[in-house]
Amino acid sequence: MDANLPAGPAPIAATALATITVTFVSNGGKTVSAPPDSNLLRVSLREKGGIPFKCGGGICGTCRCHIDVGIDNTDAVKDKERKHLSEADLAAGYRMACQTFLRGDVSVSWQPRPSTTSKAAPTSADPSMTNASTTPASANPDQAFSALSPADRARMLALGPVWARDIGGNRDQVLKAYMPILAATPREGLTVARDLAYGNHARQRLDVYSRTGLKDAPVVVFIHGGAFVRGDKDSNPEVYANFLRYFSRHGIVGVNVEYRLAPESVYPGGAEDVGAAVAWVRANIAAHGGDPSRIVLIGHSAGGSHAGAYACDPAVVPRAGHGLAGLVLISSRLRVDVLPGNPNAGAVRIYYGENEAHYEERSVVTHAARLDIPVFLAAAEFENPYLDAYTAEFAARVAMARGKMPRFLHLRGHNHASIVAHFDSGEEMLGRELVEFVRNPR
């Protein structure tokens, strides 16, 4: 295998560093030392770092990875890499491990291979091909609920078809099932700054999740749900922290935002709080390793309503601009409705008002064509009534305005709560797509 790897650059001067540090983010943050000018794939093989490979010679493209931290500490891009990576990929920090030599400390991540359902023993003699430290042994990254015990997985799958009958009770079951899995995830190298004020109200607080050594990293700002009248940035000790931890593991600074609720704060108060939080992030995130020019706003459920309104509702978007690089709307209420099948119709009236004549102009879908940044949309197979339809409607309106369909993932098997509760459990269907979008919004 080593015979196929490219020769290294000329030896470094004697005054340079004696060793460099390589952090394998997708292998539980494993950290190893290596000589300067080491080949990244060779280091991974020697130290069981876990970067996947086949040929080792730049032919197959299997060892594609992302340099989360320290891209300036890698050597020049090779022609073989350009056969597998676009210019946008390279600009976003992707490299081929077999072609990359290291001049200083780096952190590297990659998308783990899906686990097999076969009971046969693995054929690879290289234990670095596994990713057990971040993916539970039972987890298939591409299968809903695979991180859970067989009994819990069966229970979650059974909830889907009857989700809307008892949304609150079913949500509690989802959070209870994921709690022990999320609590057991490693936290080494991750940092959290809690309850930072972005306004004067007690609920105008946010948490910043980062990782040691990050600098000029992309940033996600997450807005939780709660039907406009309830909800917190910490639904329990693990959710929604799991969502931000997942991103920080992948070299992305995460911000978890709490905001004022109705009836104290009615339309457009939630979106205005989002704007205040984004302004705080733009002014302060560099101190936490983030790049204020690379902020992607993510909203779930009612949080998606507020995030979407901040990004494209002319009643809310600041005159100086929203300052966002991208928008992600997950299982979001993008149309104001009080239909008989909407279990949160009362809460909608509390936030948006009793006058239904205003509902169209206050709906995010109405302003979809005004959105001027890349957008990623996601909905679960089993949603709160109408939310999947409204997500599809928003996607269609963006597509008609731009002549191109935005990215849209329909998450099979999952429900309105598990679509975010599963993050950092080892399941990757939505997470890997979002990580790539945040790194390179398009």
Side-chain angles (χ1 to χ4, degrees):
M1 178 6 261
D2 280 0
N4 293 325
L5 289 169
I12 60 170
T15 56
L17 293 173
T19 61
I20 60 174
T21 299
V22 182
T23 301
F24 296 101
V25 175
S26 299
N27 192 2
K30 180 175 183 177
T31 300
V32 303
S33 296
D37 291 319
S38 291
N39 176 269
L40 178 54
L41 183 56
R42 282 197 181 110
V43 175
S44 176
L45 293 173
R46 183 174 63 247
E47 303 291 347
K48 299 180 175 60
I51 297 176
F53 77 98
K54 287 183 181 179
C55 71
I59 299 173
C60 68
T62 306
C63 64
R64 167 190 167 112
C65 58
H66 185 266
I67 308 300
D68 295 354
V69 179
I71 189 65
D72 292 339
N73 292 331
T74 61
D75 67 339
V77 174
K78 316 297 189 306
D79 289 341
K80 288 184 177 180
E81 294 179 272
R82 297 185 187 278
K83 295 179 180 179
H84 302 286
L85 301 173
S86 68
E87 290 302 316
D89 290 333
L90 294 169
Y94 287 94
R95 294 292 303 265
M96 305 300 299
C98 68
Q99 302 296 305
T100 303
F101 289 83
L102 307 176
R103 307 300 184 100
D105 298 347
V106 298
S107 294
V108 57
S109 65
W110 59 93
Q111 298 300 342
R113 290 181 174 183
S115 62
T116 177
T117 55
S118 170
K119 295 183 179 180
T123 57
S124 172
D126 181 8
S128 72
M129 297 298 287
T130 64
N131 194 28
S133 56
T134 55
T135 303
S138 60
N140 179 338
D142 293 309
Q143 187 177 67
F145 308 119
S146 62
L148 304 180
S149 69
D152 280 340
R153 182 170 188 267
R155 191 175 299 111
M156 293 300 102
L157 291 172
L159 284 183
V162 297
W163 176 259
R165 295 181 188 175
D166 181 13
I167 292 173
N170 291 338
R171 177 181 179 275
D172 290 343
Q173 289 192 56
V174 171
L175 300 189
K176 181 179 179 181
Y178 274 103
M179 271 281 289
I181 301 296
L182 299 175
T185 58
R187 313 292 165 90
E188 292 81 3
L190 304 183
T191 63
V192 186
R194 299 189 184 278
D195 293 321
L196 305 176
Y198 67 87
N200 295 325
H201 193 277
R203 288 186 60 89
Q204 291 175 321
R205 298 291 184 271
L206 55 80
D207 301 336
V208 179
Y209 291 75
S210 190
R211 206 181 73 218
T212 303
L214 287 186
K215 183 180 179 181
D216 298 329
V219 181
V220 298
V221 176
F222 178 71
I223 314 298
H224 66 81
F228 308 106
V229 297
R230 56 185 174 269
D232 303 284
K233 57 183 172 64
D234 293 304
S235 186
N236 65 30
E238 300 300 329
V239 179
Y240 298 98
N242 65 309
F243 193 84
L244 288 311
R245 280 200 304 266
Y246 176 84
F247 284 100
S248 62
R249 286 187 204 286
H250 287 79
I252 298 168
V253 178
V255 181
N256 194 10
V257 178
E258 196 165 284
Y259 52 89
R260 296 171 297 159
L261 302 174
E264 180 182 8
S265 176
V266 297
Y267 173 89
E272 289 172 342
D273 279 8
V274 170
V278 169
W280 184 97
V281 170
R282 294 180 70 185
N284 296 281
I285 205 63
H288 299 271
D291 182 343
S293 70
R294 301 178 68 189
I295 299 170
V296 173
L297 181 62
I298 304 179
H300 173 243
S301 196
S305 308
H306 299 321
Y310 173 71
C312 64
D313 185 340
V316 182
V317 178
R319 183 170 298 181
H322 47 57
L324 303 175
L327 176 68
V328 178
L329 301 174
I330 302 173
S331 301
S332 299
R333 181 164 295 284
L334 301 177
R335 176 169 286 285
V336 183
D337 83 82
V338 289
L339 296 173
N342 178 1
N344 293 311
V348 168
R349 289 188 184 277
I350 292 172
Y351 181 70
Y352 285 101
E354 293 286 346
N355 189 346
E356 297 183 24
H358 293 313
Y359 287 178
E360 182 68 24
E361 69 185 29
R362 294 179 178 183
S363 294
V364 178
V365 293
T366 301
H367 310 292
R370 298 176 60 94
L371 188 66
D372 58 357
I373 49 175
V375 60
F376 187 115
L377 299 140
E381 181 177 4
F382 303 105
E383 276 295 352
N384 292 7
Y386 314 124
L387 300 193
D388 46 1
Y390 298 154
T391 302
E393 180 185 7
F394 187 92
R397 291 193 178 207
V398 170
M400 292 299 292
R402 300 181 180 181
K404 178 183 178 182
M405 187 71 177
R407 295 178 70 168
F408 190 162
L409 182 61
H410 190 226
L411 209 59
R412 292 288 305 276
H414 276 289
N415 56 60
H416 183 73
S418 66
I419 196 170
V420 290
H422 80 275
F423 271 73
D424 212 31
S425 71
E427 301 169 40
E428 293 277 352
M429 284 187 292
L430 178 56
R432 66 173 166 238
E433 296 288 337
L434 288 187
V435 165
E436 186 160 351
F437 177 80
V438 170
R439 287 173 176 165
N440 187 23
R442 55 181 174 176

